[in-house]
Amino acid sequence: MFSHPDYDCREQLIWARDADGGLSAIIATQSTAMAPAFGGCRMWSYASNTAALSDALRLSRGMTYKAAICGLPCAGGKSVMIGDPKTQKIEALLRAMGSLVETLNGRYLVAEDVGTNLSIGGD
C-alpha cells in the first residue's frame, strides 16, 4: 500500500474487513492536524483491490483540494466499500461501515457518495 504511486504520505490508511457484515473497505485521510478529514463513502464493484485503493487515495486528495479552495481548515478523506451497491448494500454491511468510521473517533466525517445514497438496493 505504501509504495502505491497515489499514496503521497497519507496520515492514515485503513483497509478493513468484517466477515459478518460482508464489508471490505478502505478509508484514506490526508491530515487531521487542524480539523477532521471529510469526504464521501463510495460503494463500487471495483475490478481489483488495487483499483479500490487507487480510487480512495485519489479521491481523498481531491477532497483536500476542495477544502483548500473553499477555505476550510479540513483535509480530505474518502472511504470506499468494495461491492455492488445494487445487490450487496444491506443493513449489516452499512452498520459494519458505520462501526469502522466510529473507530476513528471523529477524525473522519463521512457523507454519501456513489452507491451509498439512501435508496435500498443501489442507486
Side-chain angles (χ1 to χ4, degrees):
M1 288 190 309
F2 303 113
S3 63
H4 191 283
D6 291 312
Y7 178 70
D8 70 354
C9 298
R10 294 300 189 282
E11 177 180 278
Q12 191 165 32
L13 183 59
I14 300 168
W15 196 302
R17 292 189 185 273
D18 179 312
D20 293 337
L23 178 69
S24 181
I26 300 167
I27 299 177
T29 59
Q30 287 287 114
S31 172
T32 59
M34 294 174 52
F38 74 102
C41 178
R42 176 172 290 189
M43 185 172 189
W44 194 257
S45 295
Y46 291 97
S48 67
N49 289 337
T50 301
L53 177 60
S54 293
D55 209 24
L57 292 172
R58 286 181 291 130
L59 291 167
S60 68
R61 182 184 316 117
M63 290 304 298
T64 297
Y65 295 151
K66 286 180 183 181
I69 289 168
C70 294
L72 300 174
C74 303
K78 199 67 172 189
S79 51
V80 299
M81 294 187 292
I82 302 168
D84 184 347
K86 292 181 180 168
T87 60
Q88 294 175 288
K89 187 171 70 172
I90 60 172
E91 183 177 348
L93 179 130
L94 296 175
R95 287 189 181 277
M97 186 64 189
S99 293
L100 175 60
V101 171
E102 284 290 315
T103 67
L104 298 175
N105 298 315
R107 291 187 317 273
Y108 170 59
L109 305 177
V110 64
E112 69 178 35
D113 197 344
V114 174
T116 60
N117 64 9
L118 295 176
S119 69
I120 302 300
D123 287 331

